[in-house]
């Protein structure tokens, strides 16, 4: 229906930087969440070729971080894998250093391939092995290096889109490529990761877990013990990574978990408002997200948009890592789940 009177009125509004709510209300306040992210599957074998190729074209030093960003097809040119999260695959070749910097965005590293590279975080180094979950807290100095003899590839997960939306992004380069380590490797694990914490630690705890490497070996062993239980119908055998100083998620803006799905186990449909990224570690799993279906193998990455039901069916015993922005929803009273 053409309304010349209204159109002329809208023109006047526009000139005065005003707008009619009645034209946009349903979009501003929707019936239910409508993520722009789409379900997507990155086949690692195919992506790996491009990562290795990047290694022949640009050095880690020159790139600062030699990373291929996982771009969600529903969010082109945004460097977003979901509506609030970033994911990238980082390569570091033997002998290389990715120089020290710090930023307000929190980061996780999930090690995909290769052993023996290290990351130094706030004065302590940790050595990477496949399946390790490593944290770089907000504003902590960090540099990465590879003194081993094989390429090392990991998935970077950051809260970049969220922090940028809030216009809270700050960064600083360190004056040296490698920042100084002041504590021996394993120090954080000894102080905080043994079911013990320093008696002088404030009972409110620390925002980000001071245990900054959760080794796969230990996670895997813990999951194996859960086999004695009935798997949870929606999650399978699933453990969340915890900040031992306050019982909260390990990173204040990012939830992380690891699950084991026994061969043949099929999860019930599940949706929650948080958007998630899944990385397969072992096995083979059919992943149905909305109306799309993927067969995922170890090292493959999947984007799970919020509020879109998904189901997992383990073709073989499967282990998968997941990270999401759930803590942000929880802290704002916006987290909802749907159990199918
Ligand atoms: O390793 O510090 O993928 O700052 C994106 C931004 C990695 C990092 C990324 C970063 C880093």
């Amino acid at each position: 229906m053409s309304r010349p009177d209204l159109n002329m009125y809208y023109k006047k509004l526009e000139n005065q930087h005003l707008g009619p709510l009645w034209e946009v209300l349903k979009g501003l306040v929707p019936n239910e969440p409508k993520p722009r992210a789409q379900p997507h599957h990155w086949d690692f074998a195919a992506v790996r070729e491009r990562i290795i190729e990047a290694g022949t074209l640009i050095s880690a030093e020159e790139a600062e971080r030699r990373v291929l960003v996982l771009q969600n097809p529903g969010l082109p040119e945004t460097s977003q894998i979901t509506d609030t999260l970033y994911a990238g695959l980082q390569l570091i070749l033997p002998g290389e250093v990715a120089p020290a910097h710090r930023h307000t965005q929190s980061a996780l590293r999930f090690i995909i391939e290769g052993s023996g590279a290290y990351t130094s975080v706030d004065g302590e180094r940790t050595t990477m092995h496949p399946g390790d979950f490593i944290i770089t807290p907000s504003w902590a100095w960090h540099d990465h290096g590879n003194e081993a003899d094989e390429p090392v590839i990991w998935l970077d997960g950051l809260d970049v889109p969220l922090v940028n939306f809030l216009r809270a992004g700050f960064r600083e380069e360190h004056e040296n490529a490698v920042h100084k380590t002041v504590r021996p490797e394993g120090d954080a694990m000894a102080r905080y990761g043994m079911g013990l914490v320093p008696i002088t630690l404030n009972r409110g705890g620390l925002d980000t877990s001071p245990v900054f490497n959760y080794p796969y070996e230990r996670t895997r062993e813990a999951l194996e013990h859960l086999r004695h239980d009935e798997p949870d119908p929606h999650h399978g055998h699933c453990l969340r990574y915890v900040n031992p100083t306050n019982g909260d998620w390990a990173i204040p803006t990012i939830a992380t978990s690891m699950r084991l799905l026994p061969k043949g186990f099929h999860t019930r449909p599940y949706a929650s408002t948080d958007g998630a990224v899944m990385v397969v570690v072992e096995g083979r799993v059919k992943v149905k997200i909305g109306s799309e279906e993927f067969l995922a193998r170890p090292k493959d990455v999947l984007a799970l948009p919020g509020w879109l039901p998904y189901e997992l069916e383990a073709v073989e015993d499967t282990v998968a890592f997941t990270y999401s922005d759930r803590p942000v929803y929880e802290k704002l009273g916006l987290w909802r789940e749907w159990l199918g």
Side-chain angles (χ1 to χ4, degrees), residues 64-65 67 69 86-90 98-99 101 103 107 109 136 142 144 154 156-158 160 171:
E64 186 165 341
R65 298 293 186 262
V67 175
V69 176
Y86 162 100
L89 286 161
Q90 182 158 178
H101 69 192
H103 37 73
R109 328 280 167 196
T136 311
H142 55 285
H144 321 298
W154 65 82
D156 287 316
L158 285 86
V160 161
R171 62 170 287 144

Side-chain angles (χ1 to χ4, degrees), residues 109-238:
R109 328 280 167 196
F110 186 73
I111 315 310
I112 302 278
E113 188 175 291
S115 278
Y118 67 84
T119 183
S120 292
V121 178
D122 210 10
E124 184 178 335
R125 218 186 227 209
T126 192
T127 305
M128 302 176 170
H129 301 283
D132 291 356
F133 158 54
I134 296 176
I135 300 171
T136 311
S138 175
W139 211 240
W141 291 114
H142 55 285
D143 49 80
H144 321 298
N146 187 348
E147 293 172 354
D149 55 8
E150 57 180 356
V152 175
I153 299 171
W154 65 82
L155 182 83
D156 287 316
L158 285 86
D159 54 11
V160 161
L162 178 75
V163 172
N164 288 347
F165 179 74
L166 297 171
R167 301 286 179 258
F170 296 89
R171 62 170 287 144
E172 195 180 348
E173 330 278 314
H174 199 278
E175 56 190 2
N176 304 314
V178 174
H179 84 286
K180 220 171 140 190
T181 51
V182 293
R183 289 179 303 282
E185 182 159 359
D187 191 89
M189 183 63 93
R191 286 173 201 266
Y192 301 99
M194 305 292 198
L196 301 159
V197 296
I199 199 159
T200 50
L201 182 75
N202 181 309
R203 290 286 285 276
L206 305 165
D207 277 352
T208 302
S209 173
V211 176
F212 69 106
N213 188 348
Y214 294 73
Y216 186 57
E217 204 182 343
R218 292 175 62 159
T219 307
R220 189 67 185 79
E221 190 187 333
L223 281 177
E224 204 52 39
H225 280 273
L226 302 185
R227 277 191 198 272
H228 302 296
D229 304 347
E230 273 301 304
D232 178 271
H234 297 91
H235 303 292
H237 298 298
C238 190

Side-chain angles (χ1 to χ4, degrees), residues 262-277:
K263 180 178 174 167
F265 187 73
H266 193 154
T267 62
R268 304 280 316 150
Y270 180 82
S272 52
T273 40
D274 50 320
V277 177

Side-chain angles (χ1 to χ4, degrees), residues 7-26:
N7 288 340
M8 276 178 58
Y9 172 66
Y10 289 171
K11 211 66 230 155
K12 285 193 262 180
L13 288 182
E14 200 180 317
N15 287 336
Q16 289 176 257
H17 306 287
L18 298 166
L21 174 65
W22 56 90
E23 290 287 345
V24 294
L25 179 60
K26 294 256 159 56

